[in-house]
Amino acid sequence: MKKTTKAKMIIAAFLAAVMFLSACGASAPGGSQKQGSQETETQKPKSAVEPSEQGESVNSAEYFGKAGEGQTGLNSEAASERETGKQPETASEGGTEAQSETADESAAMESEVQMTEGLKWWQKTNVCEIYIRSFNDTDGDGIGDLNGITEKLDYLKKMGIGAIWLTPCYKSPQADNGYDIADYYEIDETFGTMEDMDRLIAEAGKRDIRIVMDLVFNHTSDQNSWFIESASGKDNPKSDWYIWRDAKPDGGPPTNWRGIFGGSAWTWSETRGQYYLHTFLSEQPDLNWENPEVRSALYDVANFWLDKGVGGFRMDAVTYIKKPEFKDGEPDAGDGMTAIHNMTANTDGILDYLHEFKDKVQRGKDIFTVGEANGVSASELPQWVGEDGVFDMVFEFSHMLIDLNSETDWSDRREWSLADLKRILGESQKNTAQNGWYPIFFENHDQPRCIDHFFPELSVSSTSSENSASFDSSASSENSAFFDTGASSDIGASSDIVAASDSNVASGSDTASASDADTDVRMAAKVIGTLMFTLRGTPFLYQGQELGFRNVTWDVIDAYNDISTKRHYEFLIDEGKTVEEAMEAVRHFSRDSARTPMHWTAGENAGFTDGTPWLPIHDNYKTCNVETEEKDPDSILSWYRSMAAVRKAHEELIDGSFEEILNEHKQIYAFIRRGSSHEAIVLTNFSREEAEYDASIVEEAELVISSAEGGGVPGILSPLESAVFERKK
Ligand code: NOJ
């Protein structure tokens, strides 16, 4: 670290310590409690949430009563002041007993309460996606199960989780880990029984957590009785339930479409004497939504689960359900094929089906729907979400694709800068501002881990083998452009965001200590954690994100489990990439990175299983695990819990408007969330250098929380610092 930076940090630390103490009401001899008082003592922050035993029932009112306490620079007074007028809706909604308050404050609180009362439950809560295979195994088979989730409900509750998006647990041959459903009405025995499911729904309900099912309605398994019947010949009641076409005159597939997992999107059926279409694997035949019987059967499935009391649905691959005309596309690779995504995603007329789904399934029910909307741009969001849209929210992927030119080719990476990320996030905020709602997400079970994804200079994915050269600003490798501080980029700000030559994380041979690197990683994770809980929308957290999970960097393709990774690798090799180039792509984008088992303890198999885990445990589990992080007030987990509490206690973070500020700043992403009586100012420093900004932005505002020791100094953000301020309007 530069000397000047260090000096400024010491001053900043001093000032912030003063602010922290005064905010906490610590009385210094002769000092005042205003910002800037001459306090000289420092106080060690304590844990935001006192660690408690696994499985121990937690009174979340107690937890939220500690809203944000303990993180560095936290202003607990501001938080608790804000809570005083608020009557929690339920114990788990949090809040504390009303304390003394002025009439003005009381009125202001009331109007805020009314505002959030206008919102639905799922707009006020946090969602956690659980990838069931990798969450918690209770029967020793090395695969997570439903009882494993029930066992950890209290853990989820501590982060204010009010809904669990549960990845598919239906009966399935598991060709795509459950996204190939053989029977929508049965639980796969790997994951438990229907009784286990009923118990999970009930136990979650007791904690005000609702289960949200993953509806895979674009396709089924080829082992589904619907498909078996359909494939049995051309003359059966379900013959038109899937997409069957004759061969081309030369006997080849009807079109040159390449499936999302590689290879032709068509597979020949001997029994039927025709090809069937599959957007994904050949074991995942696409349903024919043109057929009203199919649609009706699917609505029955959804209603069956609603009758069980689930809280909503995540709609898998839903943008592919409507097929266009079947014709060849322009080949986009040496295999003469074209990516099916570019031919079929978001085809005109799709919304008619989805409006019907809404009418038959959702209307009048207190649930939410969130669509996986590959191929829907932010500008199209208004047609997809909101009162007149088809879903409550959709996952729109622009920010996840920030580093790829083509979502179908992992090797086709591109440079990006903070300016790009700001623009992309701003678009989705803008397009859901008046109508609809946004699911805030930075990870899911198909995506890289967010630290590696959004902080490329810290990414472990470029560190193995000679690719670590990509961290060297003078490296000549193609990919070095990503991190090259000297790269002439019309994207602009990349040099400020990624100080490649300053990187000490990648090579391990650099002079900076491992702990500096660890600090950077922790701070970076907190930047994402801050955005998760402060952007406008519902936070969708992915398991392990709250612990700072990282990508895997296995050296050989055989080490990987994910079918799409293997297929993608084969595609790249077939396209003439070297093994190193293909592996570089794999390390960055393999879905296995999101799927390694949860780390509950520092013990054997990270406490995930007593058996052999189905996928290797990440080798960082000794430090990156729930047990260890719960004890550390400065951990990523503690930060996530604190931010959940901050969001809960500061209603403008839930219902307030969004306005980006410091738009041109090359290091800082910042915005204001304006509620009826208060506004929150959120500042995140994406760079590993100190960042300055106009201090008047936080004038008359109180610091709510900062991730930096001694942070929250008006006008300055430490490297990778996140800070939230609040002021009365
Ligand atoms: C999207 C899911 O998120 C992914 O995991 C799955 O492989 C495909 N859809 C196919 O269902």
Side-chain angles (χ1 to χ4, degrees):
M1 192 185 299
K2 287 185 207 145
K3 271 193 182 148
T4 49
T5 310
K6 209 162 199 170
K8 278 189 196 162
M9 277 186 69
I10 292 167
I11 296 167
F14 170 74
L15 287 173
V18 169
M19 284 168 61
F20 175 53
L21 284 175
S22 61
C24 291
S27 59
S32 82
Q33 295 196 6
K34 289 203 178 118
Q35 283 185 15
S37 66
Q38 297 301 301
E39 178 58 79
T40 49
E41 247 178 75
T42 52
Q43 182 174 319
K44 212 165 168 47
K46 58 188 166 86
S47 174
V49 180
E50 301 301 331
S52 74
E53 290 300 306
Q54 285 302 305
E56 176 193 320
S57 178
V58 167
N59 176 342
S60 52
E62 253 173 52
Y63 160 56
F64 281 111
K66 295 177 187 189
E69 237 179 73
Q71 280 288 346
T72 315
L74 182 89
N75 182 344
S76 59
E77 188 182 74
S80 62
E81 179 198 323
R82 298 295 317 287
E83 286 199 57
T84 51
K86 194 176 63 169
Q87 289 304 320
E89 287 163 21
T90 64
S92 62
E93 282 287 301
T96 57
E97 291 282 308
Q99 312 264 320
S100 63
E101 62 195 28
T102 67
D104 277 1
E105 277 171 339
S106 170
M109 290 299 173
E110 235 164 65
S111 71
E112 277 211 335
V113 169
Q114 275 163 14
M115 279 184 76
T116 55
E117 274 177 356
L119 295 180
K120 307 222 170 69
W121 65 273
W122 48 266
Q123 294 174 300
K124 295 188 267 182
T125 196
N126 308 314
V127 182
C128 182
E129 182 196 349
I130 290 188
Y131 193 69
I132 184 168
R133 289 185 84 78
S134 303
F135 191 64
N136 184 28
D137 173 27
T138 56
D139 61 8
D141 66 357
I143 299 176
D145 44 48
L146 290 167
N147 289 338
I149 301 173
T150 307
E151 197 176 277
K152 299 294 184 185
L153 287 169
D154 291 325
Y155 168 75
L156 297 170
K157 197 67 213 171
K158 287 184 205 172
M159 225 155 11
I161 300 299
I164 292 170
W165 154 19
L166 178 60
T167 54
C169 53
Y170 317 91
K171 190 170 170 50
S172 161
Q174 307 290 322
D176 186 20
N177 291 357
Y179 282 91
D180 47 321
I181 298 173
D183 190 336
Y184 293 97
Y185 295 97
E186 272 191 48
I187 299 295
D188 196 274
E189 59 184 23
T190 321
F191 303 127
T193 63
M194 193 57 91
E195 288 69 46
D196 296 339
M197 181 56 136
D198 291 337
R199 191 165 47 252
L200 170 61
I201 293 171
E203 286 299 317
K206 285 183 197 163
R207 293 160 175 84
D208 275 340
I209 300 177
R210 300 191 71 183
I211 304 298
V212 170
M213 298 299 280
D214 208 327
L215 289 185
V216 187
F217 277 2
N218 175 67
H219 47 269
T220 66
S221 159
D222 62 348
Q223 301 304 306
N224 192 304
S225 62
W226 298 351
F227 183 75
I228 292 170
E229 187 175 340
S230 190
S232 65
K234 290 185 183 152
D235 206 14
N236 66 71
K238 295 201 170 44
S239 69
D240 195 28
W241 278 43
Y242 292 82
I243 301 189
W244 296 101
R245 289 290 181 277
D246 292 333
K248 274 186 177 166
D250 66 359
T255 66
N256 68 343
W257 299 349
R258 185 189 315 105
I260 286 178
F261 293 156
S264 172
W266 296 94
T267 290
W268 178 254
S269 158
E270 285 298 340
T271 47
R272 173 91 184 207
Q274 281 185 308
Y275 281 94
Y276 65 88
L277 182 71
H278 48 89
T279 300
F280 297 91
L281 297 175
S282 60
E283 293 91 337
Q284 295 169 294
D286 280 26
L287 284 158
N288 177 16
W289 273 69
E290 302 283 341
N291 184 338
E293 282 179 29
V294 170
R295 301 203 299 275
S296 165
L298 294 174
Y299 305 153
D300 287 349
V301 168
N303 282 313
F304 167 82
W305 287 101
L306 286 182
D307 289 346
K308 284 205 166 278
V310 303
F313 301 112
R314 178 260 184 183
M315 307 293 293
D316 182 72
V318 74
T319 43
Y320 302 113
I321 60 171
K322 169 91 181 167
K323 312 301 181 212
E325 200 188 324
F326 292 93
K327 57 173 193 204
D328 282 350
E330 196 60 42
D332 61 17
D335 60 5
M337 291 194 254
T338 192
I340 190 171
H341 170 83
N342 296 332
M343 302 304 287
T344 64
N346 198 6
T347 296
D348 278 352
I350 189 172
L351 292 173
D352 297 340
Y353 291 153
L354 295 175
H355 277 294
E356 186 183 82
F357 171 86
K358 187 173 172 179
D359 280 344
K360 304 276 183 196
V361 173
Q362 188 177 12
R363 204 165 289 291
K365 313 211 174 91
D366 189 19
I367 61 162
F368 76 82
T369 54
V370 55
E372 187 196 27
N374 268 308
V376 173
S377 63
S379 61
E380 292 170 295
L381 286 176
Q383 299 154 42
W384 281 77
V385 293
E387 280 299 299
D388 301 324
V390 289
F391 297 129
D392 295 307
M393 298 172 265
V394 295
F395 293 117
E396 183 271 308
F397 286 88
S398 310
H399 60 303
M400 304 307 258
L401 296 168
I402 194 164
D403 47 358
L404 281 175
N405 279 316
S406 147
E407 58 186 281
T408 54
D409 181 353
W410 292 349
S411 70
D412 194 5
R413 295 166 65 207
R414 65 180 167 203
E415 246 183 279
W416 63 275
S417 67
L418 182 60
D420 296 306
L421 186 62
K422 289 181 181 192
R423 176 181 44 74
I424 291 170
L425 292 175
E427 276 290 297
S428 42
Q429 289 288 310
K430 187 177 84 194
N431 286 298
T432 50
Q434 303 304 329
N435 182 36
W437 197 251
Y438 180 68
I440 311 160
F441 77 109
F442 292 94
E443 286 189 8
N444 70 26
H445 66 283
D446 296 328
Q447 297 290 335
R449 291 295 183 171
C450 64
I451 300 168
D452 296 287
H453 205 175
F454 296 102
F455 294 88
E457 79 281 20
L458 299 176
S459 177
V460 292
S461 300
S462 294
T463 60
S464 315
S465 74
E466 68 273 28
N467 288 308
S468 59
S470 58
F471 285 86
D472 178 352
S473 59
S474 62
S476 60
S477 122
E478 219 186 297
N479 289 320
S480 66
F482 279 84
F483 313 103
D484 188 346
T485 53
S488 65
S489 157
D490 52 9
I491 305 174
S494 56
S495 59
D496 298 284
I497 303 311
V498 285
S501 56
D502 203 23
S503 170
N504 50 43
V505 181
S507 66
S509 59
D510 277 331
T511 45
S513 70
S515 73
D516 275 357
D518 290 349
T519 303
D520 285 351
V521 164
R522 196 175 321 134
M523 295 293 282
K526 291 177 182 180
V527 165
I528 299 295
T530 304
L531 297 180
M532 284 287 298
F533 291 103
T534 56
L535 283 166
R536 183 175 180 274
T538 297
F540 275 70
L541 180 83
Y542 179 63
Q543 68 188 45
Q545 179 185 340
E546 78 281 17
L547 301 174
F549 262 48
R550 308 299 304 276
N551 282 357
V552 293
T553 54
W554 302 326
D555 281 342
V556 290
I557 191 63
D558 287 346
Y560 289 77
N561 172 284
D562 171 38
I563 186 75
S564 92
T565 301
K566 290 177 186 292
R567 294 288 182 82
H568 216 109
Y569 176 86
E570 282 162 23
F571 169 76
L572 293 175
I573 295 293
D574 288 349
E575 288 298 307
K577 301 282 181 212
T578 63
V579 167
E580 288 70 30
E581 286 166 335
M583 286 307 296
E584 169 83 5
V586 162
R587 280 195 300 272
H588 278 283
F589 298 107
S590 171
R591 305 194 302 181
D592 282 337
S593 287
R595 300 176 178 190
T596 58
M598 261 298 270
H599 304 167
W600 297 103
T601 69
E604 201 178 348
N605 291 327
F608 164 71
T609 181
D610 292 336
T612 306
W614 73 278
L615 197 62
I617 307 283
H618 199 293
D619 53 17
N620 65 5
Y621 76 96
K622 292 252 185 225
T623 50
C624 171
N625 66 70
V626 173
E627 188 183 46
T628 305
E629 293 198 33
E630 275 192 331
K631 292 182 194 139
D632 176 2
D634 197 31
S635 69
I636 297 167
L637 177 61
S638 294
W639 182 257
Y640 268 74
R641 287 178 173 178
S642 292
M643 284 309 302
V646 163
R647 176 182 166 84
K648 196 80 190 170
H650 298 268
E651 284 159 330
E652 68 273 18
L653 290 174
I654 298 174
D655 64 17
S657 63
F658 170 93
E659 188 201 335
E660 190 184 322
I661 53 172
L662 300 175
N663 305 53
E664 303 300 321
H665 205 295
K666 294 189 170 155
Q667 295 160 277
I668 298 177
Y669 181 39
F671 46 87
I672 301 187
R673 301 290 315 278
R674 288 202 177 85
S676 56
S677 64
H678 289 76
E679 54 192 27
I681 304 116
V682 179
L683 297 141
T684 52
N685 181 359
F686 267 74
S687 81
R688 295 158 77 203
E689 303 289 327
E690 185 178 279
E692 292 181 11
Y693 65 94
D694 178 356
S696 68
I697 283 171
V698 293
E699 206 171 353
E700 290 176 28
E702 287 189 57
L703 177 67
V704 176
I705 192 166
S706 160
S707 63
E709 203 164 334
V713 179
I716 301 170
L717 285 179
S718 306
L720 295 165
E721 178 180 351
S722 308
V724 179
F725 291 82
E726 185 189 56
R727 77 178 143 236
K728 277 196 179 139
K729 283 170 69 185

